[in-house]
Amino acid sequence: MSSSERVTHLRRFNGVAGGVIGGLALVWILFHIVTAGVGTLPNYQQRAVHLGGALFFVFLLYQGRPRFPRLQLFLLDLPCACACVVLLGYVFVNYDAIVMSNWYVNESVEKVFGVTLFLLLLEAVRRTLGWMFVSLIAVFFCYAYFGPYLPDPFGHRGLSLERLIYVFYMGNNGLLGTLMGISATVVALFLILGALLNVSGAGDTFIRIAMRLGGRLRGGAGMVAVIGSAFMGMINGSTVANVTSTGVLTIPLMRRLGFNRNLAGSIEAVASTGGQIMPPIMGPGAFLMAELLGIPYLEVVKAALVPSVLFFTALLLGVYLMARRYGLEALPPQLIPSRREAFEPRAMGNLLVPIVVLLFFILQHYTIQTAVFWSLMSIMAMMFLNSLLPRSQLSNEASARSLELAGLEAQVAREEAASTRGRMIDLLRDTYEGLYSAALSVVYIAMIIAAAQVMVSIINLTGLGVTLSQVILAIGGDFLILSLLLTMALAIVLGMGMPTPAAYAVGAAVLAPPLLNLGFDRLPSHLFLYFFASVSAITPPVAAGIFAAIAISGGTFLATARFALTLACSLFLLPFLFILNPELTLAGDPLTIILAVVSAMLGIGFLSVAAIGQLGERMKVLPRLMIGAGAIVMVTPGLWFDIIGIACLLAGITFHHLSYRPSRLNKHRDENS
């Protein structure tokens, strides 16, 4: 293994071993695709294959310790991988007996199997996610067992070890529960979809379109990062994955055009966070929400449309204001792709056909699995058709431009060399690499979902969600805003270090009941939690999205986080807007919706102005406070709040211009003299 592989603890197999592992990964991924097309297996069987395969590949691919890797592989990892297959294969084979029974079928064997699987899961979670997740699972299990000894209001009657083992291994609310089912049938398919879109060239296409659309604006490189990350976030579903996929192009581009390294990293991290809330294809957490609520996915898209547009409008304005503040210009004209390069027909076909197919089947009310299956088939068909035709000179130039702008000249040479090889061989290689990359992503996400499933199961079994609901209601009392602030803080804390799907799942189990008891509707309540599950990726002290960005930009954590929180100020406010004002989720009559959207747009825009402190010239403290207060008042529902907010905004703008008027007059006199 190379030194880089020892650092990441991720094994790379070559030769026969690499072929075997790659072949098994391919079969496992094809299982998800085929069952999506012809019909999934019964619940426990589908989930057992999904989780069993994920655990199998964790022990083979994720190195437990850097010392004695070959000895560890044969004496520890390979037996553990096979044991996971046996333990979940037992559930697969005995599915009928398990679902017909309310207790153990073969108690002595199943207790041993349950304990063994629990220990193997803890080790798999440690290897993929770290000790924090292991500690969380251990804390939840201790809470479940020691409930009778805890003080009120958190005490409960407790669960025996026998009950805990049964629920974990064989119960409907255990490891193979609802979240694992969603992972096996929805989340995995979207990860495969994103991987194949990447190898088909969608990432380069997104960047070229973003350059064409935003490159001419002031701070054009930052605009490219925002637009490109919004596009990629629709198919990516992970802040960290979005940063690492688009950031390798956008962050070097921003650095080359004068952006501070901390500002460049923060723009990419915030834009990647917002990509998960961007319709029409939001992150996997949105599909998880639709399944948990039992509503069509399009209802989630409809509810998130206006908040996502408001956020990206505010973010683009924030980047523009930062560019004014630090004297950053647009992209040079020679670096902006032509219309033909940006919208090259073959590249646009690879991008649009799968998305159109996906949306068509969703709009026709087919299941999500069927929609993604046919979208995957369309990607493969487009890749096959393109392999039959020689790559156009325009396509080669467009791809080279995207890479050269990011300073990846070596990759340009590889792209040009690849065009001379057999196109069918390239197709097979690209398809295999895409599916293998998807397998790695599915393994990682499956471990996150498994950890979240254990925690959610214990929350449901012990009634912790109801308990926290009572605590929040007792502290907040009649003050809705205080209760919402407490819920926000808990949602962010619970989501720290977790990717959005897992953060949302845990938050929904714990914090949705308090919101419902406060009288809020189900969809806005869950969307509130989903937004803050996304925000946790850029909220210190964990802030995984910030760490991913500084790994590329070379910036510092605190400075990058400060810029990120300034740019993302609207993302912290938006959930309060739509949960208090459901018209922003497109619920209500058209006139009321339009007025609410206009009011929110003005408020969110001026909040960015106040946070950044730039309005023509740099703003002084008092005008910033006045404009910030007016923006917050204006986004509060109610006509009188709008009037008061507008008055504060006008007063702040007037005071700002008056404070700079003498200096402008003196400058004008000096120029005339």
Side-chain angles (χ1 to χ4, degrees):
M1 292 184 297
S2 68
S3 59
S4 62
E5 288 163 359
R6 291 193 187 98
V7 171
T8 60
H9 305 298
L10 187 64
R11 294 188 178 103
R12 301 289 182 185
F13 292 92
N14 297 315
V16 176
V20 171
I21 297 296
L24 291 173
L26 188 62
V27 169
W28 184 59
I29 287 298
L30 289 176
F31 163 80
H32 293 84
I33 297 174
V34 171
T35 54
V38 303
T40 58
L41 298 177
N43 286 344
Y44 274 24
Q45 291 183 324
Q46 182 83 18
R47 299 167 192 179
V49 174
H50 174 72
L51 181 59
L55 289 169
F56 176 81
F57 288 113
V58 166
F59 283 104
L60 289 184
L61 298 177
Y62 285 85
Q63 187 180 342
R65 290 284 185 272
R67 298 182 62 187
F68 310 113
R70 190 175 296 274
L71 188 64
Q72 180 193 152
L73 172 64
F74 287 103
L75 294 184
L76 178 63
D77 296 344
L78 192 56
C80 287
C82 294
C84 291
V85 173
V86 171
L87 296 173
L88 286 156
Y90 177 87
V91 176
F92 184 95
V93 172
N94 295 282
Y95 165 77
D96 291 329
I98 290 172
V99 297
M100 294 298 293
S101 174
N102 291 324
W103 195 241
Y104 295 100
V105 177
N106 189 343
E107 186 167 350
S108 58
V109 171
E110 288 161 1
K111 281 184 179 179
V112 173
F113 279 13
V115 172
T116 305
L117 181 61
F118 178 71
L119 296 175
L120 289 172
L121 177 68
L122 289 181
E123 172 59 14
V125 167
R126 183 195 69 81
R127 294 189 183 197
T128 52
L129 308 176
W131 281 105
M132 187 186 75
F133 275 80
V134 175
S135 301
L136 282 173
I137 294 173
V139 167
F140 273 89
F141 260 86
C142 290
Y143 176 76
Y145 183 74
F146 292 106
Y149 309 102
L150 296 175
D152 289 333
F154 294 101
H156 59 90
R157 64 181 183 179
L159 296 170
S160 65
L161 286 177
E162 291 81 1
R163 184 70 182 172
L164 280 171
I165 295 168
Y166 169 78
V167 170
F168 170 80
Y169 185 43
M170 305 173 69
N172 291 327
N173 203 23
L175 183 60
L176 299 179
T178 303
L179 295 184
M180 189 57 63
I182 296 171
S183 176
T185 56
V186 176
V187 176
L189 292 173
F190 272 91
L191 294 172
I192 299 169
L193 176 66
L196 287 181
L197 277 174
N198 272 330
V199 297
S200 71
D204 286 347
T205 305
F206 281 143
I207 295 299
R208 291 197 299 272
I209 294 173
M211 288 176 175
R212 179 70 186 174
L213 296 178
R216 292 183 176 86
L217 302 174
R218 188 157 192 167
M223 302 292 183
V224 170
V226 173
I227 298 171
S229 295
F231 285 152
M232 281 300 294
M234 291 191 298
I235 61 171
N236 204 305
S238 166
T239 297
V240 174
N242 203 351
V243 170
T244 54
S245 60
T246 59
V248 294
L249 295 172
T250 59
I251 291 176
L253 174 62
M254 286 187 278
R255 293 287 297 123
R256 291 176 68 177
L257 295 177
F259 279 69
N260 175 285
R261 65 180 68 247
N262 298 307
L263 178 59
S266 68
I267 291 172
E268 179 57 44
V270 175
S272 295
T273 300
Q276 296 178 82
I277 62 174
M278 186 66 183
I281 307 172
M282 301 164 69
F287 293 92
L288 184 63
M289 186 192 310
E291 295 288 335
L292 290 177
L293 292 175
I295 61 175
Y297 170 69
L298 288 179
E299 289 192 26
V300 178
V301 170
K302 174 185 171 185
L305 179 61
V306 170
S308 65
V309 171
L310 289 173
F311 166 70
F312 276 103
T313 301
L315 181 56
L316 288 169
L317 175 62
V319 172
Y320 174 79
L321 294 173
M322 284 288 189
R324 290 290 302 267
R325 186 180 182 94
Y326 295 106
L328 302 169
E329 300 297 334
L331 286 179
Q334 65 271 21
L335 296 185
I336 298 176
S338 68
R339 183 180 290 104
R340 292 183 64 215
E341 289 176 333
F343 301 101
E344 196 270 326
R346 194 180 302 181
M348 292 301 295
N350 283 347
L351 174 62
L352 293 180
V353 169
I355 293 177
V356 169
V357 169
L358 176 70
L359 294 177
F360 170 79
F361 278 94
I362 290 176
L363 289 172
Q364 294 299 314
H365 302 290
Y366 285 87
T367 64
I368 296 297
Q369 295 95 306
T370 301
V372 180
F373 172 79
W374 287 111
S375 182
L376 289 170
M377 294 302 102
S378 68
I379 294 176
M380 294 180 182
M382 292 299 298
M383 292 173 67
F384 177 74
L385 290 175
N386 287 333
S387 70
L388 298 178
L389 301 172
R391 195 174 186 187
S392 67
Q393 182 65 24
L394 180 63
S395 178
N396 282 330
E397 290 174 358
S399 178
R401 181 187 293 271
S402 299
L403 295 168
E404 286 172 353
L405 287 173
L408 303 178
E409 288 80 2
Q411 193 169 339
V412 174
R414 290 197 295 272
E415 291 280 327
E416 293 174 348
S419 64
T420 63
R421 302 173 190 155
R423 290 186 295 276
M424 293 303 295
I425 295 176
D426 289 347
L427 169 66
L428 294 175
R429 185 202 62 226
D430 290 344
T431 303
Y432 169 77
E433 289 180 354
L435 293 176
Y436 186 78
S437 172
L440 294 178
S441 298
V442 173
V443 166
Y444 182 75
I445 293 296
M447 290 300 97
I448 294 168
I449 296 295
Q453 178 70 75
V454 173
M455 291 184 275
V456 168
S457 298
I458 292 175
I459 289 168
N460 292 332
L461 288 169
T462 59
L464 180 59
V466 176
T467 300
L468 281 176
S469 174
Q470 295 170 347
V471 171
I472 290 174
L473 289 172
I475 295 175
D478 296 328
F479 298 98
L480 283 180
I481 296 298
L482 178 57
S483 297
L484 289 175
L485 287 171
L486 289 171
T487 306
M488 176 197 75
L490 286 171
I492 292 175
V493 170
L494 288 173
M496 284 185 177
M498 293 188 186
T500 301
Y504 162 69
V506 175
V510 176
L511 300 172
L515 293 177
L516 297 178
N517 288 333
L518 287 168
F520 297 113
D521 294 335
R522 294 176 70 221
L523 181 52
S525 298
H526 280 256
L527 201 62
F528 180 93
L529 297 173
Y530 181 69
F531 268 58
F532 284 119
S534 303
V535 165
S536 64
I538 56 171
T539 305
V542 179
I546 301 293
F547 280 108
I550 64 177
I552 302 171
S553 69
T556 62
F557 176 78
L558 290 178
T560 303
R562 180 174 60 84
F563 277 121
L565 293 176
T566 301
L567 290 168
C569 60
S570 61
L571 195 53
F572 287 89
L573 184 62
L574 275 169
F576 292 91
L577 300 191
F578 61 70
I579 199 169
L580 293 170
N581 195 0
E583 286 82 6
L584 293 178
T585 62
L586 299 181
D589 64 90
L591 180 60
T592 307
I593 291 172
I594 291 171
L595 292 175
V597 170
V598 171
S599 175
M601 183 73 76
L602 288 172
I604 288 293
F606 278 104
L607 182 65
S608 295
V609 170
I612 295 170
Q614 185 74 25
L615 188 63
E617 296 89 3
R618 290 196 181 189
M619 300 177 66
K620 296 181 180 178
V621 175
L622 184 57
R624 289 178 70 176
L625 291 175
M626 295 172 70
I627 290 177
I632 294 174
V633 171
M634 193 168 183
V635 297
T636 305
L639 178 61
W640 282 107
F641 285 108
D642 288 344
I643 294 172
I644 295 171
I646 291 173
C648 290
L649 293 178
L650 292 175
I653 294 169
T654 303
F655 190 85
H656 168 66
H657 283 288
L658 289 175
S659 64
Y660 278 95
R661 187 177 179 184
S663 61
R664 283 196 293 266
L665 290 174
N666 292 333
K667 181 180 179 181
H668 183 66
R669 291 194 191 98
D670 293 341
E671 289 174 352
N672 289 337
S673 62

